[in-house]
Amino acid sequence: MDAYDIFKKLTKGLSFSSKNKMPKDRPVKELAKENVPVLHEIGENEVVKTPKKRERDDSIMLMSGMNHGEKPEGKKRKLLSEEQLESKKLLLEKEEVNHYRNLNNISVVGRRVPNPARSFEDLNVDKDIVSNLIKCGYDEPTPIQKQAVPIMLEKRSLLACAPTGSGKTAAFLIPIIHHLKTPQRQGFRALILCPTRELASQTQRECLRLSEGRGLKIHIISKVNKAISQYGPKSNQNYDILITTPNRLCYLLKQDPPGIQLGNVQWLVIDEADKLFEDGSRSFRDQLNQVLEACNNNDRKIAMFSATHTPVVAKWCVHNMPGLIRVTVGQRNAATDTVDQKLQFVGSEQGKLIALRDLIRQGITPPVLIFVQSKDRAQQLFNELIYDGIMVDVIHADRTQTQRDNVVKCFREGKIWVLICTELMARGIDFKGINLVINYDFPPSAISYVHRIGRAGRAGRRGQAVTFFTEEDTPLLRSIAYIVKESGCEIPEYLLTLKKKSKKEAKKMAKKAPARDDITTVPLYDRIKGGKKKKFREIEKRMRDKDPKSKKNGKINKNNKKNNVKVKKISFKKKPLGKLNKSK
Ligand code: ADP
Ligand code: ADP
Ligand code: MG
């Protein structure tokens, strides 16, 4: 039933005459302003709520010109003027929009917020975009798409927060593609900033799918040197959309003359905004200023998207984006409710590897993503798991771009079942149907937790997440336990009663991961076969001769860092590891 049907129902049996007016001292519009929650003019930080039944009845009575206490079917039915009917219709429409937003868990803050769309057709974008969306297998817009697209179509500034895997990418790509139409040879007209190159290429792929048939030129900066000649003043015209990480872009902008022109950019989108604004990256704000200076088109609008919300971003937006609209889907900073989460106490660092092997033994359904806190630990865990006969690989910032691209490709194609990764993969990456996320190392912050487990349970699918913890992780345990509980998963009650950590402590933890013992359980000797054992024994002997301490033990002490390094060298010569040597 749409607004018009409701309107017809409510006004059934009424006759209209311009003679019948509302009481002069209290015109309908004024009454409406006082009593009906008007969504479009709520103040900052207010969340729009569905009006209670009583309020709804009141506003309906009010709209049909009735006073409190009067029954709708009462005898003293008032007749309405056309003007009054018009405002009544508007109010009903607002009310209905309000209700629709609530059904979709959408809350908005800002002036004159455009109505959410109900279907792709309702978005009023070019037909080819709708058919591309359908080709992608999308049946209807997700809540963030319903609300963000109409806002961006009206060229309003936007700060959007919606859960992981809820289709934010298409939410900003649809209006951009609609606005840009076909190639215009005016140079870049839209710029999308992402925190990682993997996310940039994923966004490029989605953009290519959604704009199929238009011939828009969508680029990511791969080689900086090449880019200067590619996008420089002469050839700049050939491109329409730029998707990039900020460093590269700023490097190009710093050249004299600048290696890239952004004067025609109409849309600047910042994806994973809170990551880019994260503490310690003061530099991003400087970079952003540099980018904004280059995007000097008067028409330029900004839209920011993320699954988590931080005050720094909100503050920047309020100060720098006039006419800002904020949209939040669901609860702020909550984990997606499509993932079954579990927190598992593993005792010690060694306990983690045992717990992981147990999990694998019990049977896991690939694809699985395992998060650790550092590049070194990622490599160490890889060295362990490669012997367990599972198809495993590792991705982190120290691998070359070709290696990184290959790993992502193989994981997408199902050639790798278990992918070990660092925080690099926590943001935005959309692998189809990740079944399980394992936080081998406890995440550095609650926000990181939300994003890591959000790699599973995307686009409405369900997923699982297991997070290992030891006693060292207690400072952050409480806040994450709350997130798990909020999303409806069971946790032991005692976790919620843990001492709350101070803000200072939390900040420190988010910045620097705790020191942890190396990941290794199986003595290396047992893993080495044939002739190499002899070599291993020789090195062992040499080390014993040099280091009297290890002589005492009679064998290589695996906790002895110095020895470990030497030992590792042999293992790196072994075949599966050879190709994984660090490239820097
Ligand atoms: P987010 O950026 O919110 O984390 P993505 O934009 O990466 O999420 O989208 C998550 C997944 O949902 C992607 O695989 C995407 O193809 C899919 N998706 C996006 N929009 C829709 C839709 N309207 N219906 C179904 N699936 C969608
Ligand atoms: P990001 O992916 O985070 O943008 P990059 O790997 O592109 O980071 O590069 C980091 C920075 O290193 C660049 O912004 C630039 O300052 C510098 N850089 C990268 N490639 C080159 C190059 N070919 N020549 C000179 N400097 C470069
Ligand atoms: Mg995203």
Side-chain angles (χ1 to χ4, degrees):
M1 193 191 288
D2 63 11
Y4 182 66
D5 292 332
I6 297 179
F7 170 65
K8 263 201 333 206
K9 273 223 155 99
L10 277 167
T11 53
K12 203 175 161 196
L14 287 183
S15 61
F16 310 117
S17 152
S18 55
K19 278 179 211 155
N20 284 310
K21 293 244 163 77
M22 286 290 293
K24 267 195 190 115
D25 50 334
R26 311 218 70 195
V28 137
K29 271 189 192 161
E30 228 177 85
L31 284 171
K33 258 188 203 156
E34 282 171 29
N35 292 300
V36 182
V38 181
L39 187 75
H40 307 277
E41 280 160 11
I42 50 172
E44 276 198 3
N45 301 324
E46 269 180 64
V47 173
V48 178
K49 293 199 177 72
T50 321
K52 298 207 175 72
K53 187 172 177 305
R54 160 92 191 162
E55 279 170 31
R56 264 202 305 265
D57 291 348
D58 281 359
S59 58
I60 288 169
M61 285 200 294
L62 193 97
M63 286 182 284
S64 49
M66 288 178 297
N67 295 322
H68 279 283
E70 260 183 334
K71 285 198 179 116
E73 301 304 325
K75 283 176 200 159
K76 287 188 267 168
R77 199 183 273 156
K78 295 252 160 73
L79 300 178
L80 304 177
S81 72
E82 267 178 39
E83 194 190 326
Q84 287 163 347
L85 278 170
E86 190 54 35
S87 64
K88 177 175 161 181
K89 198 174 147 192
L90 279 178
L91 277 171
L92 271 176
E93 208 179 282
K94 276 183 185 176
E95 176 107 339
E96 214 215 345
V97 163
N98 201 346
H99 183 62
Y100 189 71
R101 285 204 180 102
N102 278 284
L103 280 179
N104 284 278
N105 261 321
I106 301 170
S107 59
V108 292
V109 176
R111 289 187 175 276
R112 289 175 285 103
V113 184
N115 292 348
R118 288 155 200 246
S119 62
F120 285 133
E121 288 71 27
D122 199 21
L123 290 174
N124 282 326
V125 292
D126 298 334
K127 293 229 160 50
D128 61 321
I129 302 180
V130 176
S131 67
N132 285 340
L133 283 162
I134 290 162
K135 248 193 254 167
C136 287
Y138 306 167
D139 301 327
E140 60 158 347
T142 61
I144 188 62
Q145 292 164 1
K146 286 176 179 173
Q147 184 60 85
V149 174
I151 291 174
M152 286 181 69
L153 285 174
E154 284 194 17
K155 302 205 172 165
R156 301 281 303 272
S157 304
L158 172 67
L159 170 59
C161 183
T164 49
S166 66
K168 292 186 285 294
T169 319
F172 59 74
L173 290 178
I174 296 169
I176 289 180
I177 296 168
H178 176 81
H179 282 152
L180 299 195
K181 305 283 176 219
T182 47
Q184 307 278 315
R185 300 191 61 81
Q186 292 175 357
F188 292 112
R189 288 175 292 148
L191 168 61
I192 300 163
L193 292 180
C194 314
T196 63
R197 283 171 250 168
E198 278 73 13
L199 184 53
S201 34
Q202 183 182 297
T203 307
Q204 182 195 33
R205 261 202 314 279
E206 176 101 350
C207 193
L208 284 167
R209 286 203 296 171
L210 295 184
S211 66
E212 206 188 303
R214 298 204 162 199
L216 286 173
K217 297 264 171 58
I218 304 150
H219 273 252
I220 54 177
I221 306 173
S222 46
K223 295 242 163 40
V224 179
N225 290 339
K226 208 170 125 202
I228 294 180
S229 57
Q230 221 176 353
Y231 315 128
K234 279 179 206 142
S235 47
N236 190 28
Q237 267 72 359
N238 300 337
Y239 304 98
D240 300 292
I241 302 176
L242 179 64
I243 307 174
T244 183
T245 48
N247 283 344
R248 285 153 193 254
L249 178 62
C250 289
Y251 175 80
L252 290 179
L253 289 174
K254 260 186 246 153
Q255 305 304 304
D256 190 20
I260 191 162
Q261 252 90 47
L262 300 174
N264 278 331
V265 168
Q266 301 163 19
W267 271 113
L268 167 60
V269 172
I270 304 178
D271 195 12
E272 304 291 346
D274 63 322
K275 176 75 194 170
L276 289 168
F277 273 87
E278 214 167 53
D279 219 33
S281 62
R282 169 78 226 164
S283 59
F284 177 68
R285 253 161 289 173
D286 300 337
Q287 288 177 330
L288 187 57
N289 288 338
Q290 202 181 336
V291 171
L292 287 177
E293 215 169 279
C295 301
N296 53 10
N297 187 328
N298 287 340
D299 267 354
R300 187 253 304 133
K301 290 281 178 249
I302 308 175
M304 301 215 186
F305 285 78
S306 185
T308 45
H309 172 98
T310 54
V312 215
V313 180
K315 211 166 150 190
W316 191 93
C317 291
V318 169
H319 286 241
N320 297 283
M321 291 155 63
L324 175 71
I325 297 177
R326 302 200 215 172
V327 174
T328 308
V329 175
Q331 243 183 326
R332 261 186 201 164
N333 293 353
T336 165
D337 54 9
T338 51
V339 174
D340 300 317
Q341 304 160 54
K342 197 172 132 194
L343 298 175
Q344 186 178 346
F345 181 64
V346 290
S348 62
E349 281 305 317
Q350 281 76 22
K352 287 183 179 176
L353 209 40
I354 297 168
L356 180 60
R357 290 205 163 104
D358 266 354
L359 264 180
I360 295 171
R361 208 171 301 125
Q362 285 160 21
I364 45 173
T365 324
V368 176
L369 207 51
I370 306 183
F371 281 96
V372 292
Q373 70 186 28
S374 68
K375 299 172 229 174
D376 285 345
R377 288 175 66 75
Q379 201 64 50
Q380 286 167 7
L381 184 60
F382 173 78
N383 294 356
E384 280 290 326
L385 294 188
I386 190 77
Y387 294 99
D388 291 1
I390 34 177
M391 299 212 269
V392 59
D393 213 329
V394 57
I395 188 165
H396 51 68
D398 270 358
R399 301 198 71 184
T400 61
Q401 196 54 45
T402 322
Q403 285 174 327
R404 277 162 66 168
D405 292 346
N406 265 336
V407 169
V408 169
K409 190 165 160 270
C410 288
F411 194 55
R412 283 194 200 282
E413 289 170 354
K415 289 179 187 153
I416 298 167
W417 295 354
V418 176
L419 181 58
I420 303 165
C421 63
T422 55
E423 212 61 18
L424 175 78
M425 285 283 119
R427 291 281 186 151
I429 296 298
D430 183 59
F431 289 124
K432 285 277 169 296
I434 294 253
N435 277 303
L436 174 64
V437 170
I438 300 174
N439 284 316
Y440 189 90
D441 289 335
F442 208 69
S445 67
I447 283 187
S448 148
Y449 177 80
V450 169
H451 287 277
R452 281 183 180 189
I453 70 149
R455 295 317 102 208
R458 300 176 71 76
R461 289 191 195 84
R462 290 211 68 84
Q464 286 184 310
V466 178
T467 302
F468 293 161
F469 69 94
T470 65
E471 260 162 55
E472 283 163 55
D473 302 312
T474 38
L476 272 174
L477 198 50
R478 187 187 135 108
S479 53
I480 288 173
Y482 267 100
I483 291 181
V484 178
K485 190 167 181 247
E486 284 290 302
S487 43
C489 303
E490 273 179 30
I491 43 151
E493 274 302 309
Y494 81 92
L495 293 180
L496 302 175
T497 59
L498 291 168
K499 203 174 128 246
K500 214 174 168 180
K501 63 179 183 320
S502 68
K503 267 202 178 142
K504 205 172 144 197
E505 206 178 347
K507 260 193 184 164
K508 208 174 115 198
M509 298 210 64
K511 252 188 213 158
K512 199 172 181 307
R516 297 186 195 272
D517 286 347
D518 286 349
I519 304 175
T520 169
T521 44
V522 184
L524 197 61
Y525 184 80
D526 293 345
R527 280 189 255 140
I528 298 172
K529 290 186 190 99
K532 285 196 179 152
K533 279 203 175 175
K534 200 174 149 204
K535 201 168 175 184
F536 182 79
R537 264 187 240 114
E538 274 168 24
I539 292 178
E540 206 181 23
K541 186 167 177 297
R542 239 186 295 148
M543 280 173 159
R544 262 207 307 269
D545 294 344
K546 262 195 220 154
D547 182 358
K549 259 193 220 154
S550 50
K551 213 178 212 169
K552 241 193 273 170
N553 294 338
K555 60 175 184 200
I556 290 181
N557 175 0
K558 67 172 183 240
N559 291 326
N560 185 327
K561 279 247 164 79
K562 226 162 119 200
N563 288 350
N564 228 9
V565 173
K566 293 255 177 188
V567 170
K568 237 188 198 164
K569 262 196 184 150
I570 324 172
S571 73
F572 262 75
K573 275 186 202 147
K574 284 169 57 61
K575 49 169 199 273
L577 302 175
K579 63 178 195 310
L580 285 166
N581 267 336
K582 288 181 186 174
S583 52
K584 271 210 171 162

